[in-house]
Structures are given as structure tokens and as C-alpha cells.
Amino acid sequence: MNKAITINPDDNIAVALTDLPKGEAVTVNGQSLVLKVDVSAKHKFALNDLATGDEMYMYGLVVGTANGPIAQGEAITVGNTTHKATTFSETKTSEPVWTAPNVSQFEGRTFNGYHRADGQVGTANNWLVFPMVFCENRNISTIKRAFEKALGYEKEDPYTRLVENMVSSHANGQTIDGLTLEKQAETQSDSPFKNVKIKFITHQAGCGGTRQDSDTLCRLLAGYLNNPNVAGATVLSLGCQNAQTNILDEAIAALNPEFSKPVLYFDQQSTGSETELLENAIKGTFKQLVEAEKLERKPAPLSKLAIGLECGGSDGFSGISANPALGHVSDLMAALGGKAILSEFPELCGVEQVLINRMTKDELPGKFAHLMRSYSDAAEAVGSGFDMNPSPGNIKDGLITDAMKSAGAAKKGGNSPVNDILDYTEYVKESGLSLLCTPGNDVESTTGLVGSGANVVLFTTGLGTPTGNPVAPIIKVSSNTKMAERMADIIDINTGPVIEGTKTIEEMGNDILEYVIQVASGEVEAKADILRQEDFIPWKRGISL
């Protein structure tokens, strides 16, 4: 196993693959040097002396500049580095030639999905229950409790049992120090519905903000209704909110004129009694579950997969193992006629020109550049900026600048041509790779990916995050073995073998797509779904990084 590597032959900083002590002799690309300081795994060090203002290169891209002199073998830190990104123009500077990957392992393969009338195929069959406005969240929760208890979704809660034991011990004058969590045996749901699940969404939007935000919410919810993982929905409206049901109907019609799924609306102010509202909604929902249960899984080609590409809680290995492995999956999808969607525009900072050079239509570079620049300008207008995107966790584990983080994050998009640029809530249409404008915030981004048609999401993480979604399975991909073993309850796939040198990126990508097929067919349940982690945060088009 190598001690350190560069990603690109032109890089002048290297990545430590293991903890390296001061005085360690290291050879990178045939160049030998001695480390001036301890360098932790995932962190970077200079391959040659850098003067003040010298540019640092990773992935063949500018990722920062030196604040002062940095000696060969010295660590790259937030103290000696300033963010700087490669500039871009709307004009292509090269015409990359893409060689499609070998897809012989997947040619003719299928997954068992739920076929919709419009030709889309779902990896799940969910009946949604959601509000038009936050005022209805309590009523959504009431319906949720009723259905989840009656359908056997509720599991015995060991944490409630722990508190009950503490209450009992305290009442009897006993110490609680010896009490431990009692793990419960796994139980199967006794729901009469095997082909459909009922899922619930609540949110803090729909009124009180700008009309732009409420209109955006309606377009996002229209995307969720149009997602092939959704059979239909029960929608609660207060009545007076900005996000009116007719705006949602208009958004659905604009998105898919042939939309034919059942959508049940219940308006509290028109109904009057909350009891009557809830009774009507529950009865109507149950009848639709009976109908949705009739749909069964059938084989579908892999071209019917629309895979969202996401990262969160990234570390210094993410851009070396997990993200490039997803990039191979993205390239496989392009070669197989499927769809891949890369989001998080603040994390494409410095990679714009590389992506522009891959775009297939004349109008795409201009749209992409406009979205990137307007987003960046809006961030700077409130005293922020893309350079402030890296979190304390990112920095602690080796991602010092946003350009460094972005160069690795963009690897999720592989090398295939970019066939479309989507603004937030626009629905994926083109096969191959599309770029979707979302924030870098994990949940806002995954929420947007599913609203734009992703029927499964691959989510890389180096630090560990439990993010899930109520509609699409979120498959967690670890960048390193230590975290995968430590947080095994939330991680589905470990790409640590790439770092350890026991698997290639291509082998790892093939393994990931095999796992996606199993999840898409309902044979394996993603960890986030097992934990019932169902996050939903709409992006208020103000600033969220």
C-alpha cells in the first residue's frame, strides 16, 4: 500500500493515505522527500517548496494558494492556505473524447420495479401524505400515528423502555447507573399491504415567506408526485396559505401533462371540524392504499434507473475512493441509457470549465454559468461565499478549501458527456449525466434530487451521516473502512478497499451498481430505510450553503 499519492501527475501537493510521522521518508511519483511535520491520513503536504502566492494543485486544478513560504514535506493547513479556484468561461477550451466503460456485466440486466403509466419505473411504491403548509403538520402527525400503529410499522422502542426502567428505579430509590439499553428482537410488520408503503412528509414552508418560495415548494411537491416511486398522495391544506392547491395542480400539469396519479385534497377551513377533516383524509387514504397494493414489481431495463449522486460529511478520502467509484456508476448509467444526476453547485466551484468542456448542447454552458455565478453572487451579497462551504468536519479531515472539496466532489459525475443543466425543481429528461442546481446542504440537496426524478440516490460520506428520504432509497457509501466499521448501522457500502489498494475504482463501481440493482428490486433495504430516516427540507432560494 502506498503511503501517499497524487491524484493527477501535475499536482504539487500529495495526500497521505495513512498517518505519517515527522521525519518519515516518502516517495510520490518517483520523487523522494522527508516530512517536516506529522501528517495525518487524509491530509496533504507539499511536494516542493512553495513561495507566498504560489498556487496549489490537486486533481490537476487550482485548489488554493500559499499564504507564506511552505517547505517541501510541510503539511497544508487552513493556516498556510487561502482558497482559490480555477477560473472558467462559457466557451469550451477543449473537446474531451469519452470512452464508455465496459458494460458487459450489466448488458441485458433488469431490476424489478413498479411501472407507471407515463413509462417511468419506480424502485418503490409509496403513497405520500403531506401538507401544503406547516400549519397542517400536527394533523399529518396524527394521521401518521394512526396508520403506523394500525399497519404494524411501529417497532418496540428500546429507548422508551430504558426511560421507563429509569423512572421505575428512581421511584424505588434505586440508582440508574447499572441500567442498559435492552435490544429488541427484530419483528416483521403485519401490514396487509405488501406492495405499497405509506410515507409522510412535514415541512416548515408554504406561507409567511416569499411567494417565490411557496411557488418553488409547489414545483418541488409536483416533482415528488411525478417521481415513479410515488403511487399518489393525500394532501392537507389549511386554505389561506400562499402555497395554494391550484398552484400545485398547475405545477403538475406543466411538469407532466399526462399525469394520472390520484391526488386527494382535504382543506381544513372548508371542512370546518378538524375531526371531520382527519376522518375524511384517513378513509380516503386507506381506499387508495387498497388500490396501490394491486401494483406489483415487474422487470425493467437498467435504463429506467435515475440515480442521484450526493455527498455529505465528506473527508479527505471521499474524492479518492467513494466519489470516483460513484463516477464509474454514473458512466455506466450513461453507457446503459440510464440517468445520473449530479447536484450541489457550491461544490462544483473550480471544476466549472472541466464540466463545460463536456457539455453536448450549445445552450448548456450559458445556463450553467448563469446559475453558478448568480448563486455565488447571492452568497457574497449576504457576506458569505462558496469559499465558506467546507464544514469544521471537512476541514478536520483534510478538506481545507472549497476548491479542494469541489474537485473531489465533482468526481461523482464521472467522465461522460453532460447532457443537461437543471435548475432547482426542473425534472430530469435526458439520459446520461445531468447537473442539478441545489445547495451543498445534504438534506436540501437530496430533497431536490428526488424532486427532480431520482428513483434511488447514492450518497458518499467520509465522516458518517444518517440522511434519508421518504420517497427514494438513500444508499450510503463510505470513503474509508474505519468509519464503515464504526458506523455500520448507517453504511451500506464501503469503498475503503480502494484506499487500501485491494480494489480498483472500476471494480468498486461495479459492486455499487450491483447493490443498486438489489435495492431497486426490493431485495435489499437501504440502511436509511431500515432506520426510517425520512428527511425533507425544501430549499428557500435565499442563501443556504
Side-chain angles (χ1 to χ4, degrees):
M1 175 178 168
N2 292 326
K3 296 178 182 178
I5 60 169
T6 59
I7 316 300
N8 185 288
D10 295 330
D11 294 351
N12 59 5
I13 58 177
V15 185
L17 299 183
T18 188
D19 292 339
L20 300 174
K22 177 182 179 181
E24 180 89 357
V26 179
T27 300
V28 181
N29 298 339
Q31 177 184 356
S32 297
L33 57 90
V34 175
L35 295 179
K36 300 289 192 299
V37 295
D38 293 342
V39 180
S40 300
K42 309 178 187 180
H43 285 260
K44 288 78 183 171
F45 58 88
L47 288 176
N48 49 265
D49 293 340
L50 299 174
T52 302
D54 280 357
E55 293 178 334
M56 300 176 186
Y57 286 84
M58 280 189 69
Y59 302 90
L61 301 168
V62 178
V63 297
T65 59
N67 284 343
I70 301 175
Q72 181 190 61
E74 188 175 339
I76 304 302
T77 69
V78 290
N80 62 19
T81 305
T82 297
H83 166 83
K84 183 178 180 180
T86 302
T87 58
F88 70 97
S89 72
E90 297 175 25
T91 304
K92 289 187 176 184
T93 58
S94 66
E95 291 284 349
V97 177
W98 178 58
T99 301
N102 182 352
V103 295
S104 58
Q105 181 176 336
F106 301 102
E107 282 182 317
R109 297 277 298 278
T110 61
F111 71 98
N112 288 321
Y114 294 97
H115 292 245
R116 303 299 176 189
D118 61 3
Q120 295 186 93
V121 179
T123 64
N125 188 33
N126 299 310
W127 182 269
L128 275 185
V129 182
F130 65 81
M132 294 300 299
V133 63
F134 56 82
C135 308
E136 291 297 320
N137 282 346
R138 185 174 62 83
N139 286 331
I140 296 292
S141 296
T142 299
I143 298 173
K144 180 178 181 178
R145 285 194 300 272
F147 272 99
E148 290 194 342
K149 184 173 183 178
L151 296 180
Y153 287 10
E154 283 189 350
K155 297 180 181 179
E156 190 170 349
D157 184 358
Y159 305 104
T160 300
R161 182 61 179 162
L162 176 61
V163 175
E164 289 173 346
N165 289 340
M166 289 192 293
V167 170
S168 176
S169 295
H170 176 71
N172 293 323
Q174 300 169 340
T175 180
I176 66 170
D177 294 340
L179 297 176
T180 58
L181 196 67
E182 299 174 5
K183 291 188 177 181
Q184 306 298 317
E186 290 292 327
T187 57
Q188 295 294 321
S189 167
D190 57 359
S191 170
F193 303 115
K194 306 305 178 185
N195 294 321
V196 63
K197 291 184 178 180
I198 185 168
K199 295 294 187 76
F200 300 85
I201 288 174
T202 58
H203 58 79
Q204 302 302 318
C207 201
T210 66
R211 293 301 174 93
Q212 178 195 30
D213 284 340
S214 59
D215 289 349
T216 299
L217 173 67
C218 289
R219 292 195 300 272
L220 177 67
L221 293 173
Y224 269 68
L225 291 169
N226 196 57
N227 189 293
N229 290 5
V230 172
T234 298
V235 182
L236 299 192
S237 168
L238 178 60
C240 59
Q241 71 276 349
N242 287 343
Q244 289 287 302
T245 56
N246 69 293
I247 300 175
L248 176 57
D249 286 336
E250 291 167 3
I252 294 170
L255 177 61
N256 184 357
E258 304 302 319
F259 183 87
S260 59
K261 297 176 184 177
V263 180
L264 311 181
Y265 290 117
F266 298 92
D267 185 283
Q268 184 169 4
Q269 289 173 347
S270 297
T271 304
S273 163
E274 184 178 281
T275 301
E276 185 179 354
L277 173 83
L278 292 170
E279 182 180 352
N280 291 343
I282 289 171
K283 287 180 177 177
T285 299
F286 190 87
K287 291 177 182 178
Q288 290 300 326
L289 288 173
V290 172
E291 292 302 310
E293 172 69 10
K294 296 175 183 177
L295 189 66
E296 297 183 350
R297 291 183 182 271
K298 294 180 181 179
L302 300 187
S303 59
K304 293 296 183 179
L305 290 173
I307 300 180
L309 306 168
E310 175 70 22
C311 58
S314 298
D315 70 350
F317 284 164
S318 293
I320 303 173
S321 57
N323 291 347
L326 260 61
H328 183 66
V329 175
S330 176
D331 287 347
L332 289 170
M333 281 291 96
L336 292 165
K339 299 180 177 72
I341 313 168
L342 177 64
S343 58
E344 301 180 290
F345 272 29
E347 297 176 16
L348 299 180
C349 176
V351 195
E352 296 96 338
Q353 193 65 54
V354 174
L355 294 169
I356 285 171
N357 290 343
R358 291 163 53 186
M359 294 179 185
T360 57
K361 301 172 189 172
D362 291 342
E363 66 272 19
L364 298 183
K367 181 176 181 180
F368 177 60
H370 171 72
L371 288 171
M372 287 295 293
R373 287 173 176 148
S374 60
Y375 195 166
S376 178
D377 290 346
E380 291 175 6
V382 294
S384 187
F386 286 175
D387 61 305
M388 299 179 70
N389 174 275
S391 70
N394 296 151
I395 294 167
K396 177 178 176 291
D397 270 46
L399 296 177
I400 303 301
T401 70
D402 185 51
M404 187 181 293
K405 181 178 178 181
S406 294
K411 289 295 180 181
K412 301 191 301 293
N415 299 298
S416 68
V418 176
N419 291 333
D420 208 358
I421 304 298
L422 307 173
D423 197 0
Y424 185 67
T425 74
E426 290 185 331
Y427 206 82
V428 65
K429 304 179 293 294
E430 302 289 340
S431 60
L433 180 64
S434 296
L435 307 183
L436 172 65
C437 184
T438 73
N441 177 290
D442 304 353
V443 178
E444 287 177 320
S445 183
T446 52
T447 298
L449 281 165
V450 177
S452 288
N455 55 13
V456 63
V457 176
L458 289 170
F459 188 123
T460 70
T461 182
L463 305 176
T465 174
T467 302
N469 184 269
V471 165
I474 308 295
I475 299 172
K476 294 294 169 34
V477 182
S478 171
S479 73
N480 64 92
T481 299
K482 285 184 179 180
M483 191 273 289
E485 293 175 346
R486 188 175 68 254
M487 304 182 75
D489 56 336
I490 68 170
I491 297 299
D492 298 283
I493 300 168
N494 173 31
T495 64
V498 173
I499 300 296
E500 294 147 15
T502 59
K503 278 197 174 181
T504 66
I505 287 169
E506 292 74 20
E507 289 170 340
M508 200 75 247
N510 289 346
D511 289 351
I512 292 172
L513 184 52
E514 289 285 0
Y515 193 87
V516 167
I517 294 170
Q518 290 181 291
V519 172
S521 299
E523 298 168 3
V524 173
E525 194 172 14
K527 297 287 183 66
D529 287 340
I530 292 173
L531 295 171
R532 296 172 68 190
Q533 182 87 24
E534 297 171 352
D535 303 306
F536 180 89
I537 301 180
W539 180 22
K540 290 187 176 183
R541 203 56 181 265
I543 289 306
S544 177
L545 295 175

